PDB file of all heavy atoms in Angstrom:
ATOM      1  N   HIS A   1     -17.139 -67.647  27.611  1.00 96.00           N
ATOM      2  CA  HIS A   1     -18.243 -67.272  28.520  1.00 96.00           C
ATOM      3  C   HIS A   1     -18.736 -68.533  29.213  1.00 96.00           C
ATOM      4  O   HIS A   1     -19.043 -68.513  30.442  1.00 96.00           O
ATOM      5  CB  HIS A   1     -19.391 -66.663  27.687  1.00 96.00           C
ATOM      6  CG  HIS A   1     -20.614 -66.430  28.453  1.00 96.00           C
ATOM      7  ND1 HIS A   1     -20.740 -65.407  29.422  1.00 96.00           N
ATOM      8  CD2 HIS A   1     -21.827 -67.035  28.396  1.00 96.00           C
ATOM      9  CE1 HIS A   1     -21.962 -65.432  29.918  1.00 96.00           C
ATOM     10  NE2 HIS A   1     -22.651 -66.396  29.356  1.00 96.00           N
ATOM     11  N   SER A   2     -18.834 -69.604  28.515  1.00 95.00           N
ATOM     12  CA  SER A   2     -19.082 -70.914  29.046  1.00 95.00           C
ATOM     13  C   SER A   2     -18.294 -71.942  28.285  1.00 95.00           C
ATOM     14  O   SER A   2     -17.808 -71.683  27.168  1.00 95.00           O
ATOM     15  CB  SER A   2     -20.604 -71.228  28.919  1.00 95.00           C
ATOM     16  OG  SER A   2     -20.996 -71.371  27.587  1.00 95.00           O
ATOM     17  N   PRO A   3     -18.075 -73.155  28.841  1.00 95.00           N
ATOM     18  CA  PRO A   3     -17.250 -74.138  28.131  1.00 95.00           C
ATOM     19  C   PRO A   3     -17.928 -74.707  26.852  1.00 95.00           C
ATOM     20  O   PRO A   3     -17.253 -75.240  25.999  1.00 95.00           O
ATOM     21  CB  PRO A   3     -17.064 -75.267  29.200  1.00 95.00           C
ATOM     22  CG  PRO A   3     -18.125 -75.056  30.201  1.00 95.00           C
ATOM     23  CD  PRO A   3     -18.473 -73.572  30.146  1.00 95.00           C
ATOM     24  N   ASP A   4     -19.247 -74.497  26.767  1.00 96.00           N
ATOM     25  CA  ASP A   4     -20.026 -75.085  25.692  1.00 96.00           C
ATOM     26  C   ASP A   4     -20.536 -74.037  24.696  1.00 96.00           C
ATOM     27  O   ASP A   4     -21.453 -74.351  23.906  1.00 96.00           O
ATOM     28  CB  ASP A   4     -21.183 -75.904  26.243  1.00 96.00           C
ATOM     29  CG  ASP A   4     -21.843 -75.224  27.457  1.00 96.00           C
ATOM     30  OD1 ASP A   4     -21.985 -73.946  27.434  1.00 96.00           O
ATOM     31  OD2 ASP A   4     -22.192 -75.868  28.450  1.00 96.00           O
ATOM     32  N   SER A   5     -19.989 -72.852  24.690  1.00 98.00           N
ATOM     33  CA  SER A   5     -20.446 -71.817  23.810  1.00 98.00           C
ATOM     34  C   SER A   5     -20.056 -72.094  22.372  1.00 98.00           C
ATOM     35  O   SER A   5     -18.955 -72.579  22.094  1.00 98.00           O
ATOM     36  CB  SER A   5     -19.847 -70.428  24.202  1.00 98.00           C
ATOM     37  OG  SER A   5     -20.398 -69.973  25.426  1.00 98.00           O
ATOM     38  N   ILE A   6     -20.967 -71.786  21.452  1.00 98.00           N
ATOM     39  CA  ILE A   6     -20.693 -71.866  20.021  1.00 98.00           C
ATOM     40  C   ILE A   6     -21.039 -70.536  19.382  1.00 98.00           C
ATOM     41  O   ILE A   6     -21.868 -69.793  19.874  1.00 98.00           O
ATOM     42  CB  ILE A   6     -21.436 -72.990  19.301  1.00 98.00           C
ATOM     43  CG1 ILE A   6     -22.963 -72.831  19.486  1.00 98.00           C
ATOM     44  CG2 ILE A   6     -20.975 -74.369  19.778  1.00 98.00           C
ATOM     45  CD1 ILE A   6     -23.778 -73.780  18.628  1.00 98.00           C
ATOM     46  N   THR A   7     -20.319 -70.213  18.264  1.00 98.00           N
ATOM     47  CA  THR A   7     -20.688 -69.142  17.395  1.00 98.00           C
ATOM     48  C   THR A   7     -21.215 -69.729  16.087  1.00 98.00           C
ATOM     49  O   THR A   7     -20.657 -70.751  15.611  1.00 98.00           O
ATOM     50  CB  THR A   7     -19.504 -68.248  17.114  1.00 98.00           C
ATOM     51  OG1 THR A   7     -19.184 -67.496  18.310  1.00 98.00           O
ATOM     52  CG2 THR A   7     -19.790 -67.254  15.996  1.00 98.00           C
ATOM     53  N   ILE A   8     -22.293 -69.178  15.581  1.00 98.00           N
ATOM     54  CA  ILE A   8     -22.932 -69.698  14.372  1.00 98.00           C
ATOM     55  C   ILE A   8     -22.535 -68.808  13.165  1.00 98.00           C
ATOM     56  O   ILE A   8     -22.675 -67.601  13.249  1.00 98.00           O
ATOM     57  CB  ILE A   8     -24.442 -69.735  14.513  1.00 98.00           C
ATOM     58  CG1 ILE A   8     -24.874 -70.542  15.743  1.00 98.00           C
ATOM     59  CG2 ILE A   8     -25.128 -70.267  13.262  1.00 98.00           C
ATOM     60  CD1 ILE A   8     -26.209 -70.176  16.302  1.00 98.00           C
ATOM     61  N   VAL A   9     -22.037 -69.454  12.110  1.00 98.00           N
ATOM     62  CA  VAL A   9     -21.678 -68.753  10.894  1.00 98.00           C
ATOM     63  C   VAL A   9     -22.677 -69.098   9.848  1.00 98.00           C
ATOM     64  O   VAL A   9     -22.731 -70.244   9.391  1.00 98.00           O
ATOM     65  CB  VAL A   9     -20.240 -69.096  10.448  1.00 98.00           C
ATOM     66  CG1 VAL A   9     -19.868 -68.328   9.205  1.00 98.00           C
ATOM     67  CG2 VAL A   9     -19.234 -68.902  11.555  1.00 98.00           C
ATOM     68  N   ALA A  10     -23.511 -68.097   9.452  1.00 98.00           N
ATOM     69  CA  ALA A  10     -24.519 -68.327   8.390  1.00 98.00           C
ATOM     70  C   ALA A  10     -24.051 -67.641   7.123  1.00 98.00           C
ATOM     71  O   ALA A  10     -23.735 -66.439   7.124  1.00 98.00           O
ATOM     72  CB  ALA A  10     -25.845 -67.799   8.875  1.00 98.00           C
ATOM     73  N   THR A  11     -24.061 -68.369   6.020  1.00 98.00           N
ATOM     74  CA  THR A  11     -23.667 -67.795   4.760  1.00 98.00           C
ATOM     75  C   THR A  11     -24.687 -68.126   3.665  1.00 98.00           C
ATOM     76  O   THR A  11     -25.311 -69.194   3.666  1.00 98.00           O
ATOM     77  CB  THR A  11     -22.283 -68.349   4.279  1.00 98.00           C
ATOM     78  OG1 THR A  11     -22.347 -69.791   4.242  1.00 98.00           O
ATOM     79  CG2 THR A  11     -21.186 -67.944   5.288  1.00 98.00           C
ATOM     80  N   GLU A  12     -24.826 -67.151   2.772  1.00 98.00           N
ATOM     81  CA  GLU A  12     -25.652 -67.353   1.545  1.00 98.00           C
ATOM     82  C   GLU A  12     -25.090 -66.423   0.511  1.00 98.00           C
ATOM     83  O   GLU A  12     -25.098 -65.219   0.726  1.00 98.00           O
ATOM     84  CB  GLU A  12     -27.117 -67.057   1.844  1.00 98.00           C
ATOM     85  CG  GLU A  12     -28.010 -67.398   0.617  1.00 98.00           C
ATOM     86  CD  GLU A  12     -29.480 -67.201   0.948  1.00 98.00           C
ATOM     87  OE1 GLU A  12     -29.913 -67.605   2.044  1.00 98.00           O
ATOM     88  OE2 GLU A  12     -30.211 -66.659   0.078  1.00 98.00           O
ATOM     89  N   GLY A  13     -24.564 -66.968  -0.566  1.00 96.00           N
ATOM     90  CA  GLY A  13     -23.881 -66.162  -1.533  1.00 96.00           C
ATOM     91  C   GLY A  13     -22.673 -65.544  -0.957  1.00 96.00           C
ATOM     92  O   GLY A  13     -21.806 -66.213  -0.379  1.00 96.00           O
ATOM     93  N   GLU A  14     -22.560 -64.218  -1.074  1.00 96.00           N
ATOM     94  CA  GLU A  14     -21.404 -63.483  -0.550  1.00 96.00           C
ATOM     95  C   GLU A  14     -21.601 -62.974   0.887  1.00 96.00           C
ATOM     96  O   GLU A  14     -20.732 -62.384   1.466  1.00 96.00           O
ATOM     97  CB  GLU A  14     -21.049 -62.267  -1.467  1.00 96.00           C
ATOM     98  CG  GLU A  14     -20.664 -62.674  -2.865  1.00 96.00           C
ATOM     99  CD  GLU A  14     -19.397 -63.518  -2.924  1.00 96.00           C
ATOM    100  OE1 GLU A  14     -18.449 -63.178  -2.221  1.00 96.00           O
ATOM    101  OE2 GLU A  14     -19.406 -64.529  -3.664  1.00 96.00           O
ATOM    102  N   GLU A  15     -22.785 -63.215   1.425  1.00 97.00           N
ATOM    103  CA  GLU A  15     -23.137 -62.669   2.759  1.00 97.00           C
ATOM    104  C   GLU A  15     -22.724 -63.603   3.853  1.00 97.00           C
ATOM    105  O   GLU A  15     -22.982 -64.849   3.791  1.00 97.00           O
ATOM    106  CB  GLU A  15     -24.626 -62.414   2.802  1.00 97.00           C
ATOM    107  CG  GLU A  15     -25.119 -61.589   4.004  1.00 97.00           C
ATOM    108  CD  GLU A  15     -26.582 -61.286   3.947  1.00 97.00           C
ATOM    109  OE1 GLU A  15     -27.315 -61.837   3.084  1.00 97.00           O
ATOM    110  OE2 GLU A  15     -27.030 -60.426   4.742  1.00 97.00           O
ATOM    111  N   THR A  16     -22.096 -63.060   4.912  1.00 98.00           N
ATOM    112  CA  THR A  16     -21.714 -63.843   6.098  1.00 98.00           C
ATOM    113  C   THR A  16     -22.305 -63.197   7.341  1.00 98.00           C
ATOM    114  O   THR A  16     -22.092 -62.002   7.590  1.00 98.00           O
ATOM    115  CB  THR A  16     -20.192 -63.932   6.252  1.00 98.00           C
ATOM    116  OG1 THR A  16     -19.651 -64.548   5.058  1.00 98.00           O
ATOM    117  CG2 THR A  16     -19.778 -64.752   7.471  1.00 98.00           C
ATOM    118  N   ILE A  17     -23.019 -63.966   8.141  1.00 98.00           N
ATOM    119  CA  ILE A  17     -23.615 -63.499   9.347  1.00 98.00           C
ATOM    120  C   ILE A  17     -23.086 -64.336  10.525  1.00 98.00           C
ATOM    121  O   ILE A  17     -23.003 -65.570  10.452  1.00 98.00           O
ATOM    122  CB  ILE A  17     -25.150 -63.623   9.344  1.00 98.00           C
ATOM    123  CG1 ILE A  17     -25.754 -62.970   8.103  1.00 98.00           C
ATOM    124  CG2 ILE A  17     -25.764 -63.066  10.616  1.00 98.00           C
ATOM    125  CD1 ILE A  17     -25.570 -61.471   8.032  1.00 98.00           C
ATOM    126  N   LEU A  18     -22.699 -63.647  11.614  1.00 98.00           N
ATOM    127  CA  LEU A  18     -22.204 -64.338  12.815  1.00 98.00           C
ATOM    128  C   LEU A  18     -23.189 -64.104  13.965  1.00 98.00           C
ATOM    129  O   LEU A  18     -23.456 -62.991  14.337  1.00 98.00           O
ATOM    130  CB  LEU A  18     -20.816 -63.792  13.223  1.00 98.00           C
ATOM    131  CG  LEU A  18     -19.725 -63.813  12.180  1.00 98.00           C
ATOM    132  CD1 LEU A  18     -18.443 -63.232  12.773  1.00 98.00           C
ATOM    133  CD2 LEU A  18     -19.466 -65.206  11.654  1.00 98.00           C
ATOM    134  N   PHE A  19     -23.721 -65.229  14.462  1.00 98.00           N
ATOM    135  CA  PHE A  19     -24.541 -65.171  15.689  1.00 98.00           C
ATOM    136  C   PHE A  19     -23.638 -65.633  16.794  1.00 98.00           C
ATOM    137  O   PHE A  19     -23.344 -66.822  16.946  1.00 98.00           O
ATOM    138  CB  PHE A  19     -25.748 -66.054  15.517  1.00 98.00           C
ATOM    139  CG  PHE A  19     -26.699 -65.653  14.435  1.00 98.00           C
ATOM    140  CD1 PHE A  19     -26.699 -66.332  13.229  1.00 98.00           C
ATOM    141  CD2 PHE A  19     -27.561 -64.577  14.588  1.00 98.00           C
ATOM    142  CE1 PHE A  19     -27.528 -65.921  12.166  1.00 98.00           C
ATOM    143  CE2 PHE A  19     -28.419 -64.185  13.568  1.00 98.00           C
ATOM    144  CZ  PHE A  19     -28.395 -64.879  12.335  1.00 98.00           C
ATOM    145  N   THR A  20     -23.174 -64.668  17.575  1.00 98.00           N
ATOM    146  CA  THR A  20     -22.030 -64.898  18.506  1.00 98.00           C
ATOM    147  C   THR A  20     -22.459 -65.236  19.937  1.00 98.00           C
ATOM    148  O   THR A  20     -21.591 -65.439  20.806  1.00 98.00           O
ATOM    149  CB  THR A  20     -21.090 -63.694  18.527  1.00 98.00           C
ATOM    150  OG1 THR A  20     -21.876 -62.509  18.864  1.00 98.00           O
ATOM    151  CG2 THR A  20     -20.438 -63.499  17.173  1.00 98.00           C
ATOM    152  N   GLY A  21     -23.770 -65.289  20.187  1.00 98.00           N
ATOM    153  CA  GLY A  21     -24.215 -65.658  21.522  1.00 98.00           C
ATOM    154  C   GLY A  21     -23.647 -64.678  22.563  1.00 98.00           C
ATOM    155  O   GLY A  21     -23.707 -63.460  22.400  1.00 98.00           O
ATOM    156  N   ASP A  22     -23.104 -65.248  23.639  1.00 98.00           N
ATOM    157  CA  ASP A  22     -22.485 -64.404  24.675  1.00 98.00           C
ATOM    158  C   ASP A  22     -20.942 -64.534  24.599  1.00 98.00           C
ATOM    159  O   ASP A  22     -20.256 -64.209  25.578  1.00 98.00           O
ATOM    160  CB  ASP A  22     -22.918 -64.896  26.057  1.00 98.00           C
ATOM    161  CG  ASP A  22     -24.351 -64.444  26.357  1.00 98.00           C
ATOM    162  OD1 ASP A  22     -25.005 -63.898  25.481  1.00 98.00           O
ATOM    163  OD2 ASP A  22     -24.808 -64.653  27.526  1.00 98.00           O
ATOM    164  N   THR A  23     -20.421 -64.896  23.446  1.00 98.00           N
ATOM    165  CA  THR A  23     -18.970 -64.894  23.270  1.00 98.00           C
ATOM    166  C   THR A  23     -18.472 -63.511  22.854  1.00 98.00           C
ATOM    167  O   THR A  23     -17.687 -62.914  23.612  1.00 98.00           O
ATOM    168  CB  THR A  23     -18.556 -65.929  22.178  1.00 98.00           C
ATOM    169  OG1 THR A  23     -18.961 -67.247  22.615  1.00 98.00           O
ATOM    170  CG2 THR A  23     -17.078 -65.870  21.939  1.00 98.00           C
ATOM    171  N   LEU A  24     -18.924 -63.035  21.749  1.00 98.00           N
ATOM    172  CA  LEU A  24     -18.479 -61.708  21.265  1.00 98.00           C
ATOM    173  C   LEU A  24     -19.675 -60.783  21.258  1.00 98.00           C
ATOM    174  O   LEU A  24     -20.635 -60.978  20.586  1.00 98.00           O
ATOM    175  CB  LEU A  24     -17.940 -61.856  19.815  1.00 98.00           C
ATOM    176  CG  LEU A  24     -17.488 -60.539  19.151  1.00 98.00           C
ATOM    177  CD1 LEU A  24     -16.385 -59.854  19.920  1.00 98.00           C
ATOM    178  CD2 LEU A  24     -17.037 -60.850  17.687  1.00 98.00           C
ATOM    179  N   PHE A  25     -19.524 -59.715  22.064  1.00 98.00           N
ATOM    180  CA  PHE A  25     -20.506 -58.636  22.129  1.00 98.00           C
ATOM    181  C   PHE A  25     -20.020 -57.466  21.251  1.00 98.00           C
ATOM    182  O   PHE A  25     -18.903 -57.478  20.756  1.00 98.00           O
ATOM    183  CB  PHE A  25     -20.732 -58.194  23.556  1.00 98.00           C
ATOM    184  CG  PHE A  25     -21.382 -59.225  24.466  1.00 98.00           C
ATOM    185  CD1 PHE A  25     -20.836 -59.464  25.722  1.00 98.00           C
ATOM    186  CD2 PHE A  25     -22.493 -59.908  24.086  1.00 98.00           C
ATOM    187  CE1 PHE A  25     -21.397 -60.437  26.567  1.00 98.00           C
ATOM    188  CE2 PHE A  25     -23.059 -60.874  24.905  1.00 98.00           C
ATOM    189  CZ  PHE A  25     -22.522 -61.156  26.154  1.00 98.00           C
ATOM    190  N   ILE A  26     -20.841 -56.472  21.162  1.00 98.00           N
ATOM    191  CA  ILE A  26     -20.396 -55.268  20.491  1.00 98.00           C
ATOM    192  C   ILE A  26     -19.584 -54.415  21.500  1.00 98.00           C
ATOM    193  O   ILE A  26     -20.132 -53.853  22.422  1.00 98.00           O
ATOM    194  CB  ILE A  26     -21.562 -54.439  19.936  1.00 98.00           C
ATOM    195  CG1 ILE A  26     -22.526 -55.358  19.152  1.00 98.00           C
ATOM    196  CG2 ILE A  26     -21.083 -53.292  19.036  1.00 98.00           C
ATOM    197  CD1 ILE A  26     -21.876 -56.182  18.046  1.00 98.00           C
ATOM    198  N   GLY A  27     -18.288 -54.384  21.338  1.00 97.00           N
ATOM    199  CA  GLY A  27     -17.388 -53.655  22.207  1.00 97.00           C
ATOM    200  C   GLY A  27     -16.880 -54.458  23.389  1.00 97.00           C
ATOM    201  O   GLY A  27     -16.130 -53.935  24.208  1.00 97.00           O
ATOM    202  N   ASP A  28     -17.253 -55.726  23.512  1.00 97.00           N
ATOM    203  CA  ASP A  28     -16.866 -56.501  24.696  1.00 97.00           C
ATOM    204  C   ASP A  28     -16.918 -57.993  24.365  1.00 97.00           C
ATOM    205  O   ASP A  28     -17.285 -58.351  23.269  1.00 97.00           O
ATOM    206  CB  ASP A  28     -17.804 -56.147  25.856  1.00 97.00           C
ATOM    207  CG  ASP A  28     -17.262 -56.551  27.223  1.00 97.00           C
ATOM    208  OD1 ASP A  28     -16.072 -56.914  27.332  1.00 97.00           O
ATOM    209  OD2 ASP A  28     -18.017 -56.437  28.194  1.00 97.00           O
ATOM    210  N   VAL A  29     -16.578 -58.780  25.375  1.00 97.00           N
ATOM    211  CA  VAL A  29     -16.764 -60.248  25.272  1.00 97.00           C
ATOM    212  C   VAL A  29     -17.491 -60.695  26.513  1.00 97.00           C
ATOM    213  O   VAL A  29     -17.579 -59.996  27.517  1.00 97.00           O
ATOM    214  CB  VAL A  29     -15.409 -60.986  25.117  1.00 97.00           C
ATOM    215  CG1 VAL A  29     -14.773 -60.713  23.766  1.00 97.00           C
ATOM    216  CG2 VAL A  29     -14.467 -60.668  26.256  1.00 97.00           C
ATOM    217  N   GLY A  30     -18.044 -61.930  26.470  1.00 96.00           N
ATOM    218  CA  GLY A  30     -18.835 -62.419  27.585  1.00 96.00           C
ATOM    219  C   GLY A  30     -17.957 -62.677  28.812  1.00 96.00           C
ATOM    220  O   GLY A  30     -16.835 -63.119  28.734  1.00 96.00           O
ATOM    221  N   ARG A  31     -18.546 -62.435  29.964  1.00 95.00           N
ATOM    222  CA  ARG A  31     -17.847 -62.631  31.234  1.00 95.00           C
ATOM    223  C   ARG A  31     -17.621 -64.156  31.461  1.00 95.00           C
ATOM    224  O   ARG A  31     -18.519 -64.955  31.133  1.00 95.00           O
ATOM    225  CB  ARG A  31     -18.602 -61.985  32.373  1.00 95.00           C
ATOM    226  CG  ARG A  31     -19.960 -62.585  32.666  1.00 95.00           C
ATOM    227  CD  ARG A  31     -20.754 -61.774  33.698  1.00 95.00           C
ATOM    228  NE  ARG A  31     -20.175 -61.773  35.026  1.00 95.00           N
ATOM    229  CZ  ARG A  31     -20.700 -61.189  36.053  1.00 95.00           C
ATOM    230  NH1 ARG A  31     -21.805 -60.482  35.902  1.00 95.00           N
ATOM    231  NH2 ARG A  31     -20.109 -61.223  37.228  1.00 95.00           N
ATOM    232  N   PRO A  32     -16.509 -64.530  32.067  1.00 93.00           N
ATOM    233  CA  PRO A  32     -16.201 -65.970  32.218  1.00 93.00           C
ATOM    234  C   PRO A  32     -16.458 -66.493  33.645  1.00 93.00           C
ATOM    235  O   PRO A  32     -15.996 -67.577  33.938  1.00 93.00           O
ATOM    236  CB  PRO A  32     -14.710 -65.956  31.942  1.00 93.00           C
ATOM    237  CG  PRO A  32     -14.210 -64.639  32.511  1.00 93.00           C
ATOM    238  CD  PRO A  32     -15.356 -63.673  32.352  1.00 93.00           C
ATOM    239  N   ASP A  33     -17.118 -65.733  34.488  1.00 89.00           N
ATOM    240  CA  ASP A  33     -17.201 -66.114  35.882  1.00 89.00           C
ATOM    241  C   ASP A  33     -18.617 -66.625  36.283  1.00 89.00           C
ATOM    242  O   ASP A  33     -18.896 -66.729  37.478  1.00 89.00           O
ATOM    243  CB  ASP A  33     -16.828 -64.931  36.771  1.00 89.00           C
ATOM    244  CG  ASP A  33     -17.710 -63.698  36.531  1.00 89.00           C
ATOM    245  OD1 ASP A  33     -18.360 -63.591  35.480  1.00 89.00           O
ATOM    246  OD2 ASP A  33     -17.698 -62.799  37.401  1.00 89.00           O
ATOM    247  N   LEU A  34     -19.478 -66.955  35.310  1.00 85.00           N
ATOM    248  CA  LEU A  34     -20.833 -67.377  35.691  1.00 85.00           C
ATOM    249  C   LEU A  34     -20.918 -68.842  35.984  1.00 85.00           C
ATOM    250  O   LEU A  34     -21.895 -69.280  36.626  1.00 85.00           O
ATOM    251  CB  LEU A  34     -21.823 -67.001  34.581  1.00 85.00           C
ATOM    252  CG  LEU A  34     -21.988 -65.539  34.255  1.00 85.00           C
ATOM    253  CD1 LEU A  34     -23.068 -65.309  33.191  1.00 85.00           C
ATOM    254  CD2 LEU A  34     -22.301 -64.716  35.521  1.00 85.00           C
ATOM    255  N   ARG A  35     -19.964 -69.646  35.592  1.00 72.00           N
ATOM    256  CA  ARG A  35     -20.094 -71.085  35.711  1.00 72.00           C
ATOM    257  C   ARG A  35     -19.473 -71.682  36.973  1.00 72.00           C
ATOM    258  O   ARG A  35     -19.589 -72.854  37.207  1.00 72.00           O
ATOM    259  CB  ARG A  35     -19.518 -71.792  34.502  1.00 72.00           C
ATOM    260  CG  ARG A  35     -20.439 -71.725  33.258  1.00 72.00           C
ATOM    261  CD  ARG A  35     -21.729 -72.539  33.504  1.00 72.00           C
ATOM    262  NE  ARG A  35     -22.523 -72.540  32.331  1.00 72.00           N
ATOM    263  CZ  ARG A  35     -22.450 -73.488  31.374  1.00 72.00           C
ATOM    264  NH1 ARG A  35     -21.590 -74.474  31.499  1.00 72.00           N
ATOM    265  NH2 ARG A  35     -23.245 -73.425  30.331  1.00 72.00           N
ATOM    266  N   GLU A  36     -18.848 -70.837  37.778  1.00 64.00           N
ATOM    267  CA  GLU A  36     -18.288 -71.362  39.029  1.00 64.00           C
ATOM    268  C   GLU A  36     -19.415 -71.750  39.985  1.00 64.00           C
ATOM    269  O   GLU A  36     -19.304 -72.733  40.706  1.00 64.00           O
ATOM    270  CB  GLU A  36     -17.367 -70.316  39.691  1.00 64.00           C
ATOM    271  CG  GLU A  36     -16.040 -70.185  38.976  1.00 64.00           C
ATOM    272  CD  GLU A  36     -15.069 -69.275  39.737  1.00 64.00           C
ATOM    273  OE1 GLU A  36     -15.498 -68.282  40.315  1.00 64.00           O
ATOM    274  OE2 GLU A  36     -13.882 -69.609  39.721  1.00 64.00           O
ATOM    275  N   ASN A  37     -20.486 -70.955  40.003  1.00 58.00           N
ATOM    276  CA  ASN A  37     -21.544 -71.230  40.902  1.00 58.00           C
ATOM    277  C   ASN A  37     -22.912 -71.295  40.165  1.00 58.00           C
ATOM    278  O   ASN A  37     -23.918 -71.176  40.755  1.00 58.00           O
ATOM    279  CB  ASN A  37     -21.644 -70.106  41.958  1.00 58.00           C
ATOM    280  CG  ASN A  37     -20.392 -69.998  42.773  1.00 58.00           C
ATOM    281  OD1 ASN A  37     -19.996 -70.931  43.434  1.00 58.00           O
ATOM    282  ND2 ASN A  37     -19.779 -68.832  42.755  1.00 58.00           N
ATOM    283  N   ALA A  38     -22.834 -71.497  38.841  1.00 53.00           N
ATOM    284  CA  ALA A  38     -24.013 -71.483  38.037  1.00 53.00           C
ATOM    285  C   ALA A  38     -24.159 -72.782  37.275  1.00 53.00           C
ATOM    286  O   ALA A  38     -23.418 -73.032  36.320  1.00 53.00           O
ATOM    287  CB  ALA A  38     -24.062 -70.294  37.099  1.00 53.00           C
ATOM    288  N   GLY A  39     -25.122 -73.588  37.686  1.00 48.00           N
ATOM    289  CA  GLY A  39     -25.392 -74.828  36.934  1.00 48.00           C
ATOM    290  C   GLY A  39     -24.530 -75.983  37.416  1.00 48.00           C
ATOM    291  O   GLY A  39     -23.621 -75.888  38.199  1.00 48.00           O
ATOM    292  N   LYS A  40     -24.901 -77.167  36.929  1.00 51.00           N
ATOM    293  CA  LYS A  40     -24.252 -78.427  37.335  1.00 51.00           C
ATOM    294  C   LYS A  40     -22.838 -78.579  36.732  1.00 51.00           C
ATOM    295  O   LYS A  40     -22.009 -79.250  37.273  1.00 51.00           O
ATOM    296  CB  LYS A  40     -25.129 -79.596  36.965  1.00 51.00           C
ATOM    297  CG  LYS A  40     -26.470 -79.634  37.732  1.00 51.00           C
ATOM    298  CD  LYS A  40     -27.351 -80.734  37.232  1.00 51.00           C
ATOM    299  CE  LYS A  40     -28.717 -80.703  37.919  1.00 51.00           C
ATOM    300  NZ  LYS A  40     -29.679 -81.673  37.365  1.00 51.00           N
ATOM    301  N   MET A  41     -22.630 -77.943  35.578  1.00 49.00           N
ATOM    302  CA  MET A  41     -21.319 -78.035  34.946  1.00 49.00           C
ATOM    303  C   MET A  41     -20.465 -76.885  35.456  1.00 49.00           C
ATOM    304  O   MET A  41     -20.663 -75.716  35.057  1.00 49.00           O
ATOM    305  CB  MET A  41     -21.463 -77.963  33.411  1.00 49.00           C
ATOM    306  CG  MET A  41     -20.115 -78.037  32.699  1.00 49.00           C
ATOM    307  SD  MET A  41     -20.278 -77.707  30.961  1.00 49.00           S
ATOM    308  CE  MET A  41     -19.700 -79.217  30.284  1.00 49.00           C
ATOM    309  N   LYS A  42     -19.563 -77.151  36.325  1.00 49.00           N
ATOM    310  CA  LYS A  42     -18.719 -76.115  36.909  1.00 49.00           C
ATOM    311  C   LYS A  42     -17.508 -75.857  36.049  1.00 49.00           C
ATOM    312  O   LYS A  42     -16.957 -76.782  35.434  1.00 49.00           O
ATOM    313  CB  LYS A  42     -18.264 -76.540  38.338  1.00 49.00           C
ATOM    314  CG  LYS A  42     -19.365 -76.895  39.267  1.00 49.00           C
ATOM    315  CD  LYS A  42     -20.288 -75.734  39.560  1.00 49.00           C
ATOM    316  CE  LYS A  42     -21.383 -76.159  40.574  1.00 49.00           C
ATOM    317  NZ  LYS A  42     -22.352 -75.110  40.814  1.00 49.00           N
ATOM    318  N   ALA A  43     -17.094 -74.624  36.010  1.00 61.00           N
ATOM    319  CA  ALA A  43     -15.857 -74.267  35.302  1.00 61.00           C
ATOM    320  C   ALA A  43     -15.319 -73.017  35.990  1.00 61.00           C
ATOM    321  O   ALA A  43     -16.021 -72.080  36.292  1.00 61.00           O
ATOM    322  CB  ALA A  43     -16.099 -73.958  33.811  1.00 61.00           C
ATOM    323  N   LYS A  44     -14.020 -73.036  36.221  1.00 88.00           N
ATOM    324  CA  LYS A  44     -13.392 -71.929  37.002  1.00 88.00           C
ATOM    325  C   LYS A  44     -13.183 -70.714  36.038  1.00 88.00           C
ATOM    326  O   LYS A  44     -12.903 -70.854  34.856  1.00 88.00           O
ATOM    327  CB  LYS A  44     -12.012 -72.384  37.531  1.00 88.00           C
ATOM    328  CG  LYS A  44     -12.140 -73.418  38.609  1.00 88.00           C
ATOM    329  CD  LYS A  44     -10.763 -73.823  39.153  1.00 88.00           C
ATOM    330  CE  LYS A  44     -10.939 -74.875  40.263  1.00 88.00           C
ATOM    331  NZ  LYS A  44      -9.621 -75.325  40.786  1.00 88.00           N
TER     332      LYS A  44
END
């Protein structure tokens, strides 16, 4: 979605939680076309 995206893996005991930001959505993934004209860090 962006070159600097991270996913956060939180664990406690047997439980695992993923905070996926705009990388992995429910049923989809983040669009990759926002950084060509969005922000100082350009990415095609």
Side-chain angles (χ1 to χ4, degrees):
H1 173 70
S2 66
D4 39 40
S5 290
I6 58 172
T7 288
I8 303 156
V9 183
T11 56
E12 185 175 318
E14 298 297 315
E15 191 175 12
T16 301
I17 307 295
L18 305 180
F19 298 101
T20 55
D22 285 6
T23 297
L24 177 59
F25 294 132
I26 311 307
D28 198 8
V29 291
R31 63 190 294 182
D33 58 341
L34 297 184
R35 282 295 184 91
E36 286 187 322
N37 299 303
K40 295 174 183 175
M41 181 189 240
K42 305 296 183 185
K44 294 180 180 179

